[in-house]
Amino acid sequence: DVKVTQSSRYLVKRTGEKVFLECVQDMDHENMFWYRQDPGLGLRLIYFSYDVKMKEKGDIPEGYSVSREKKERFSLILESASTNQTSMYLCASSLLTTGTGSHGTDTQYFGPGTRLTVL
Amino acid sequence: GQSLEQPSEVTAVEGAIVQINCTYQTSGFYGLSWYQQHDGGAPTFLSYNALDGLEETGRFSSFLSRSDSYGYLLLQELQMKDSASYFCAVLGGGFKTIFGAGTRLFVKA
């Protein structure tokens, strides 16, 4: 079974603090993703990575940065936490085959999430 | 802009069939996925459609019509444990996955 783990289930930080959220996957997946989930808004993509040292902005990258120094680890960094970054943060990984024909897939495996509260 | 529309809530009785619709407007399209999420849990993958038509996996089926930018998830023989949120997601341009806001399914006895 694919296992995606996140460093903390719950985290409380103060405004202005630097926050690190860690994600590790054990299935040698190339692709890793960071989402935030807020009620009524679904999952919104913050950043994703297709390879080591590679990163791409998602839909809401402002206020966040990422690091992928090793294939299995993808870190999300809040440089200066703000109260509007209080949210559930979900990490995911996948093996992506392009979606042509019946062999395409976009199966993402999610970690348990980190509920971050910024005071 | 890019958007996915799905109903916010659906209620059905145990043993019934329920259909959750999803319409999308995205730049680029590779496929439509569905995920299930129970309260307090992580989303889990249910299905992916890259081609038009119906894909069946046990009690769950997923349908796609690319010409209509539309898909649905069909749940048959509903069970109480199916009460959860269901998200449609499009793999679109730039290989970005965009999720809908989710449909909360309530299954009643």
Side-chain angles (χ1 to χ4, degrees):
Chain A
D1 275 356
V2 176
K3 193 166 183 184
V4 180
T5 57
Q6 296 183 228
S7 49
S8 307
R9 288 302 305 269
Y10 299 93
L11 209 52
V12 180
K13 296 292 182 180
R14 296 208 174 271
T15 302
E17 281 192 81
K18 191 168 186 175
V19 182
F20 293 87
L21 303 182
E22 302 281 336
C23 175
V24 178
Q25 50 96 2
D26 67 356
M27 282 301 291
D28 203 34
H29 285 170
E30 284 80 15
N31 309 318
M32 296 188 75
F33 310 84
W34 275 106
Y35 296 90
R36 63 177 282 176
Q37 183 174 23
D38 301 288
L41 296 178
L43 283 73
R44 292 181 291 166
L45 182 63
I46 304 171
Y47 269 97
F48 60 106
S49 169
Y50 289 141
D51 203 351
V52 176
K53 296 193 185 295
M54 178 271 178
K55 61 185 179 185
E56 292 282 345
K57 292 181 180 179
D59 297 319
I60 52 164
E62 297 79 17
Y64 304 94
S65 63
V66 291
S67 171
R68 193 161 180 206
E69 296 296 318
K70 293 185 178 181
K71 190 175 186 180
E72 68 270 18
R73 188 178 299 267
F74 192 35
S75 302
L76 180 69
I77 302 150
L78 287 67
E79 296 290 342
S80 177
S82 63
T83 55
N84 62 13
Q85 291 178 310
T86 291
S87 187
M88 171 67 81
Y89 289 88
L90 290 162
C91 174
S93 72
S94 77
L95 270 173
L96 173 66
T97 58
T98 55
T100 54
S102 60
H103 298 292
T105 186
D106 183 28
T107 306
Q108 296 190 21
Y109 298 88
F110 284 84
T114 296
R115 184 163 293 283
L116 173 67
T117 302
V118 183
L119 302 176
Chain B
Q2 304 194 93
S3 65
L4 281 76
E5 298 288 333
Q6 54 182 127
S8 59
E9 279 186 17
V10 173
T11 301
V13 297
E14 210 173 4
I17 299 172
V18 73
Q19 179 174 313
I20 300 173
N21 299 320
C22 176
T23 57
Y24 58 87
Q25 183 177 13
T26 59
S27 57
F29 178 86
Y30 289 101
L32 180 71
S33 300
W34 288 92
Y35 288 81
Q36 179 192 61
Q37 185 180 32
H38 287 99
D39 285 347
T44 56
F45 173 82
L46 291 176
S47 67
Y48 177 82
N49 293 64
L51 303 175
D52 289 351
L54 191 68
E55 297 273 348
E56 298 181 59
T57 309
R59 294 188 297 115
F60 293 4
S61 303
S62 57
F63 172 83
L64 174 66
S65 168
R66 287 174 296 171
S67 60
D68 294 323
S69 298
Y70 164 75
Y72 65 73
L73 180 70
L74 192 73
L75 296 84
Q76 302 182 73
E77 300 172 16
L78 277 175
Q79 302 175 8
M80 298 298 289
K81 67 178 181 179
D82 297 329
S83 292
S85 293
Y86 293 83
F87 295 89
C88 60
V90 165
L91 179 63
F95 294 106
K96 287 185 190 180
T97 303
I98 302 167
F99 281 79
T103 298
R104 193 162 179 89
L105 172 64
F106 297 95
V107 180
K108 301 194 295 187

